[in-house]
Amino acid sequence: MHYHLCNASAQKKRKAVTEKEMAAYLMVYFKDDTHGLYMALSKDGYSFTDVNNAKPIIAGDTIAEQKGIRDPYIYRGPDGMFYLALTDLHIYGQKAGYRTTEWERDGKQYGWGNNRGLVLMKSPDLINWSHKVLRVDQSFPELANIGCAWAPEMIYDEVKKKTMIYFSMRFGVGKEKVYYSYLSDDFTKLETVPKPIFEYPNGVAYIDADITKVGNKYHMLYASHDGTSGVKQAVSDSVNTGYVYDPKWYDPEKVGCEAPTVYKRIGENKWVMIYDIYRINPHNFGFSETTDFINFTNLGRFNEGVMKSTNFSVPKHPAVIQVTRKEAQALAKKWGLNMKF
């Protein structure tokens, strides 16, 4: 691996950037076979090319307690820095020789996966990263019995002036739901006890929330386990309270999908929703486009329509951000990708 892991104190903050400066798109994703982190670039938001020829840019066994990561999410903070949050979990850890049992803890007591940590990473340039394992179960005494901590995402809370992290969590083998907390300014620990962000009717489990602010509304897409897993939406005037249940399914798939995430097209009043269609073999992403978060146009799956993955396949659980021409060029150069921006 030719990435750089570095000391956070050596990183210099960058200035904030505006959408007018954006010229490309960066997708992060992972794969089940490696449990590592991958990156792909796009000039137009339709065709994505893996920067390292479909090989991990960071191996999970170098940053995670369980020697594997899942569910990467990338966010550009108001300080101009890049932040990554990932699930610390290797679902094939026993098979890979990292542990002697199927899971870290007893599956009957703690359920499928039953991890306890998240990986937090920080970078000024998408190349040099610091990292820390955040043990959620050790953050507060009342979290000691959590059954999992999955799929972390981040958003800047404009009222509190802090980065809010939210992730799927359950206690023991209870129902998963999404909890939110606030991260310390040095991006190393939770400052507040996680609280549920939303209660699904009748106690149905839901996971994989993704919040996008459009105007003065917050649109939370999530994977509902109400029958076949699929994408639903709840909308609020507040980043972490007041989300209203909407029974409508927002993905067009007939089979199970999860991990919805949204990115905005540069310079356009259009947003793209991606979802991980995990119930097909091989895995693939589906895409829908919207201007109002009410009506979504199905763009199809990777390599079955307008959306292209030029040199990679079977990606899982994506996130996409806008990047500047300079950032895209530096990342491409770092990994030897012959792509002009």
Side-chain angles (χ1 to χ4, degrees), residues 70-326:
R70 300 175 70 81
D71 318 324
Y73 185 78
I74 190 164
Y75 147 85
R76 188 195 295 265
D79 57 359
M81 297 288 282
F82 296 100
Y83 296 90
L84 270 168
L86 316 96
T87 305
D88 187 327
L89 170 63
H90 199 310
I91 67 168
Y92 306 125
Q94 183 181 25
K95 187 177 175 183
Y98 294 128
R99 56 179 178 258
T100 57
T101 54
E102 182 182 13
W103 306 116
E104 271 193 328
R105 298 173 293 170
D106 178 39
K108 288 181 180 176
Q109 187 176 354
Y110 293 102
W112 189 96
N114 72 55
N115 74 314
R116 294 171 281 185
L118 305 173
V119 179
L120 301 179
M121 303 185 71
K122 183 177 177 179
S123 172
D125 57 9
L126 300 170
I127 295 167
N128 299 283
W129 293 92
S130 63
H131 80 288
K132 176 184 172 57
V133 172
L134 170 65
R135 279 288 296 271
V136 175
D137 64 317
Q138 295 174 0
S139 298
F140 297 96
E142 50 265 68
L143 301 182
N145 197 41
I146 64 168
C148 70
W150 297 336
E153 294 203 10
M154 296 163 287
I155 189 170
Y156 187 66
D157 184 328
E158 295 169 359
V159 176
K160 288 190 177 287
K161 308 292 185 193
K162 293 188 76 69
T163 293
M164 186 182 97
I165 188 169
Y166 52 102
F167 51 94
S168 308
M169 190 169 75
R170 67 168 180 260
F171 288 85
V173 291
K175 298 290 188 183
E176 294 89 1
K177 52 185 153 183
V178 175
Y179 291 74
Y180 74 93
S181 178
Y182 288 90
L183 288 163
S184 58
D185 290 342
D186 64 1
F187 198 59
T188 62
K189 60 182 182 288
L190 301 180
E191 288 193 339
T192 60
V193 177
K195 295 179 182 177
I197 201 166
F198 169 71
E199 295 289 348
Y200 197 99
N202 303 317
V204 169
Y206 75 99
I207 60 173
D208 295 352
D210 178 88
I211 300 170
T212 303
K213 188 183 184 193
V214 181
N216 59 0
K217 297 286 186 184
Y218 293 89
H219 296 265
M220 181 172 72
L221 295 161
Y222 62 90
S224 164
H225 287 174
D226 204 348
T228 299
S229 180
V231 179
K232 288 191 176 180
Q233 178 179 200
V235 183
S236 178
D237 296 326
S238 165
V239 70
N240 57 28
T241 59
Y243 285 98
V244 178
Y245 174 72
D246 176 355
K248 180 180 174 182
W249 296 99
Y250 282 87
D251 69 273
E253 298 292 335
K254 290 184 171 64
V255 295
C257 57
E258 60 187 6
T261 190
V262 172
Y263 66 95
K264 185 178 182 295
R265 294 210 182 275
I266 298 167
E268 295 184 76
N269 184 44
K270 285 181 183 175
W271 289 261
V272 178
M273 174 175 69
I274 318 175
Y275 24 89
D276 185 331
I277 313 165
Y278 70 95
R279 284 292 186 191
I280 56 173
N281 189 14
H283 294 120
N284 204 346
F285 294 159
F287 300 82
S288 293
E289 195 171 71
T290 186
T291 59
D292 56 11
F293 282 78
I294 298 168
N295 303 290
F296 287 79
T297 302
N298 183 10
L299 299 180
R301 301 168 178 174
F302 259 153
N303 303 319
E304 296 178 12
V306 297
M307 304 300 300
K308 307 292 182 189
S309 59
T310 65
N311 65 347
F312 63 101
S313 59
V314 293
K316 296 210 73 183
H317 207 114
V320 176
I321 59 168
Q322 300 172 357
V323 291
T324 66
R325 180 171 283 104
K326 185 177 178 182

